[in-house]
Amino acid sequence: MIFSRFFGKTRPQPEALYAAIVAAARQPKFYAEWAVPDTVDGRFDMIVLHLYLVFDRLRTEPLEFRQSLSALFFADMDRSIREMGAGDLSVGKKVRRMAEAFGGRVEAYELARAEGALAIEQALTRNVYAGLPGNVSALRDYMEKALEALRLQQPEKIIAGQVVFS
């Protein structure tokens, strides 16, 4: 808004960060080398994993930004479902299931990190690989390195979309 220039700080917008998260989640190595399923579900899980990594780093930042980033994610999922041909009546139910899956995965990753490497691998196997074989140890290593890389970055840079995951 024009008045925000005169009467207050503009709020950071999540679009650049969300684009960086999606780009990171689409890295070919996940699918070609580490056997993450190259499916709608596999790509959803990789976006969720990267969102989790960012949310973990930004947990001390204002909640409003994280909420707007989540809203952008769910709006993107809504759009994607519609593009795949889902009817208006079923979109809400599918997005609700995605929201539940998102919350469950975030909770699973939090609990797993508290328990250690084996628990992280089990959570990744269950969520990303859906129990199928894959290079879960490489994905766990990536997750751990990304968490460390994010800790070393300034929150302002991350929020602006200038984020490096590893």
Side-chain angles (χ1 to χ4, degrees):
M1 297 288 238
I2 193 163
F3 293 114
S4 66
R5 281 193 289 176
F6 300 110
F7 297 111
K9 294 174 78 174
T10 58
R11 293 185 186 126
Q13 298 300 309
E15 287 82 3
L17 178 55
Y18 185 69
I21 287 168
V22 171
R26 290 183 175 166
Q27 292 178 69
K29 70 181 174 187
F30 297 137
Y31 309 97
E33 298 173 30
W34 298 351
V36 169
D38 194 3
T39 62
V40 171
D41 289 340
R43 289 177 179 265
F44 168 81
D45 279 310
M46 291 309 295
I47 293 171
V48 168
L49 177 62
H50 285 84
L51 277 168
Y52 166 74
L53 297 170
V54 167
F55 285 163
D56 180 75
R57 174 59 179 97
L58 298 179
R59 75 175 61 230
T60 59
E61 298 304 309
L63 178 61
E64 182 181 49
F65 180 79
R66 287 174 289 162
Q67 288 174 330
S68 62
L69 184 59
S70 293
L72 186 59
F73 166 65
F74 288 112
D76 185 37
M77 294 301 104
D78 182 284
R79 181 193 51 76
S80 295
I81 291 168
R82 290 175 192 280
E83 283 179 1
M84 289 187 287
D88 287 341
L89 297 176
S90 66
V91 171
K93 292 176 189 173
K94 290 180 183 199
V95 171
R96 190 174 325 111
R97 281 195 299 266
M98 288 177 147
E100 291 169 0
F102 173 77
R105 282 157 174 76
V106 167
E107 184 177 346
Y109 296 144
E110 280 294 312
L111 293 172
R113 283 183 55 214
E115 293 179 24
L118 180 60
I120 293 170
E121 286 191 14
Q122 290 170 340
L124 291 170
T125 298
R126 187 174 52 254
N127 294 315
V128 175
Y129 291 100
L132 300 171
N135 196 342
V136 69
S137 61
L139 188 56
R140 185 209 65 230
D141 289 344
Y142 172 85
M143 183 179 176
E144 291 173 353
K145 288 175 185 172
L147 287 164
E148 184 59 31
L150 287 163
R151 271 189 215 101
L152 299 174
Q153 296 170 59
Q154 295 298 316
E156 299 80 23
K157 295 269 189 182
I158 295 170
I159 288 170
Q162 300 167 2
V163 59
V164 177
F165 286 95
S166 62

